[in-house]
Amino acid sequence: MSIFYNTGIRGYQLAIRLAAPFNEKAALWVKGRKNIREKIARIQRKGERRVWFHAASLGEFEQGRPVMEALKAAEPSTKILLTFFSPSGYEIRKNYAGADYILYLPSDTPGNARFFVEQLKPDAAIFIKYEFWYNYLHELHKKHIPVYLISAIFRPGQPFFKSWGTLHRRMLGFFDRLFVQDEESVRLLNSIGIQNAQRTGDTRFDRVKQIAGAAKEIEKIERFCDGHPAVVCGSTWPPDEDILLDFINNDASSYKWVITPHEIGESHIKAILEKCKKKAIRYTDENTSPADCDVLIVDCIGLLSSIYRYGKISYIGGGFGVGIHNTLEAAVYGIPVIFGPKYQKFNEAVNLIREGGAFSIGNGEQLREVLNSLIQTPAIAEAAGQKALAYVNSQLGATEIIVKELTQNSPK
């Protein structure tokens, strides 16, 4: 099985290199791994403890971040090594101050895995959520280096639980402990003989609480709201924007609307402004008074998690595409959350609906019904928001459990 796996890895490498001249992400993937062995060789061991965290991309990094920061607070002398698989994670977080070394993960070949582990000699390795690389896990296991999986979630359809998933099940056996999000994951792992799984929840809850606690005041948003209640629409895509703008254009309430698109290219921003019949302003527009406008289009990045604090209601985009974006960033502020129909793979969204803090809509008419209910009856919105916040608060604590395990197993 490992022969087929290694052949597949090399095939993937070749495909990425062939795509690189035509695809920006593939080009970054290749460029980032150029001379990677030389970069690794320059990282010298100086007697300190070193813990390796690996994240596929930006979302997984955010799940690992509270653990990295809590571990660093508990053990300031411990060095954090952070690797990424995807350019969308590395390029955004390559200057993250919470890690001492940040690299692309070399492709998972036997030679790369052997060189990486022997050269860097981590004292422990933490893989975040969905990352399973056979050769790296095998090499760590051979060297008796403790390996942990955090914020993982398992479903019956995954290869681990199929008759042909022998290699995947073997990878699970390389982990010293699997910290999973829910009891169903524990049950599934137990069913295939994996007994070292523990339900700790999702570290993202700890992360959004941390973000909310450090949320910055945004003077322009305050001037725009000007004392009016607001609906914050985060990480929206065109299908979201179409039904939202249809409602906004006919909304007679005093609510203000903040739209933060997932893509902020010039043509997309202009398309939103053209469809909007209300008086709208771009966030970067310095020539118009925001208080005089009904709709604010955020055409820059890095503000959304703080903008949610100004909302009475939130709408999360992506539910008409591959799946919804981060609902917890809004729910942590105690406001109701609305999103499209494709949310079933996101436990937190399913649970927010069950607890009464979120609403899923499938079309413009359903959106209109939900928004009218929340806008016209503020008590309903307030109650739903409090249920959303209560759910977030009930899920805190995964980071503390994981860091306790890591520090207990560190050499004294």
Side-chain angles (χ1 to χ4, degrees), residues 2 6 19 64 70 86 92 96 135 147 163 166 179 196 207 230 244 249 252 256 268 276 287 356-357 390 396 401 408:
S2 60
N6 291 328
S86 169
I92 293 175
Y96 168 58
N135 291 307
V147 188
S163 60
T166 304
F179 296 105
N196 56 341
R207 176 61 183 149
L244 282 166
N249 289 338
K256 298 275 189 135
H268 187 197
C276 184
N287 299 316
L396 300 175
I401 296 169
Q408 280 179 344

Side-chain angles (χ1 to χ4, degrees), residues 85-100:
F85 177 78
S86 169
S88 57
Y90 176 84
E91 296 300 329
I92 293 175
R93 294 302 183 196
K94 60 187 175 184
N95 297 315
Y96 168 58
D100 299 280

Side-chain angles (χ1 to χ4, degrees), residues 134-150:
Y134 177 81
N135 291 307
Y136 281 103
L137 290 170
H138 188 211
E139 196 64 32
L140 291 162
H141 182 69
K142 286 195 301 181
K143 301 289 187 188
H144 305 290
I145 296 169
V147 188
Y148 305 93
L149 184 67
I150 66 172

Side-chain angles (χ1 to χ4, degrees), residues 52-239:
W52 170 29
F53 286 79
H54 175 65
S57 191
L58 189 59
E60 291 76 17
F61 163 80
E62 289 295 332
Q63 288 179 295
R65 182 171 179 168
V67 179
M68 285 184 264
E69 293 178 356
L71 178 61
K72 197 72 168 176
E75 298 180 349
S77 61
T78 292
K79 300 296 184 182
I80 302 294
L81 166 67
L82 171 62
T83 59
F84 288 97
F85 177 78
S86 169
S88 57
Y90 176 84
E91 296 300 329
I92 293 175
R93 294 302 183 196
K94 60 187 175 184
N95 297 315
Y96 168 58
D100 299 280
Y101 315 102
I102 304 176
L103 300 165
Y104 274 103
L105 183 70
S107 296
D108 186 28
T109 64
N112 282 344
R114 192 178 311 114
F115 176 82
F116 185 96
V117 174
E118 289 181 353
Q119 180 67 37
L120 295 174
K121 297 180 176 63
D123 293 288
I126 294 91
F127 286 65
I128 304 166
K129 196 174 183 180
Y130 287 138
E131 285 294 88
F132 301 96
W133 296 113
Y134 177 81
N135 291 307
Y136 281 103
L137 290 170
H138 188 211
E139 196 64 32
L140 291 162
H141 182 69
K142 286 195 301 181
K143 301 289 187 188
H144 305 290
I145 296 169
V147 188
Y148 305 93
L149 184 67
I150 66 172
S151 290
I153 187 164
F154 291 89
R155 297 185 178 87
Q158 291 173 314
F160 311 101
F161 313 107
K162 302 295 185 181
S163 60
W164 46 266
T166 304
L167 190 75
H168 290 79
R169 286 190 288 277
R170 189 176 181 197
M171 283 193 272
L172 292 179
F174 293 145
F175 288 96
D176 289 73
R177 187 166 292 277
L178 300 96
F179 296 105
V180 301
Q181 292 187 25
D182 58 14
E183 289 296 340
E184 173 66 5
S185 295
V186 174
R187 187 192 66 76
L188 284 167
L189 291 167
N190 289 169
S191 75
I192 56 171
I194 304 297
Q195 302 298 324
N196 56 341
Q198 178 181 352
R199 181 199 174 278
T200 51
D202 189 345
T203 53
R204 280 185 306 161
F205 289 91
D206 299 319
R207 176 61 183 149
V208 297
K209 197 72 174 179
Q210 186 182 54
I211 291 171
K216 49 195 173 186
E217 294 180 1
I218 306 176
E219 189 265 341
K220 190 158 191 174
I221 302 293
E222 292 179 355
R223 285 194 287 125
F224 167 73
C225 292
D226 194 30
H228 294 274
V231 179
V232 178
C233 309
S235 299
T236 59
W237 293 83

Side-chain angles (χ1 to χ4, degrees), residues 262-273:
H262 185 73
E263 300 288 348
I264 57 170
E266 185 64 20
S267 60
H268 187 197
I269 298 297
K270 285 183 176 178
I272 296 173
L273 289 167

Side-chain angles (χ1 to χ4, degrees), residues 17 30 75 88 141-142 147 155 277 299 311 323 328 373 393:
R17 293 182 184 281
V30 172
E75 298 180 349
S88 57
H141 182 69
K142 286 195 301 181
V147 188
R155 297 185 178 87
K277 306 305 180 189
D299 55 350
L328 300 178
S373 173
N393 287 338

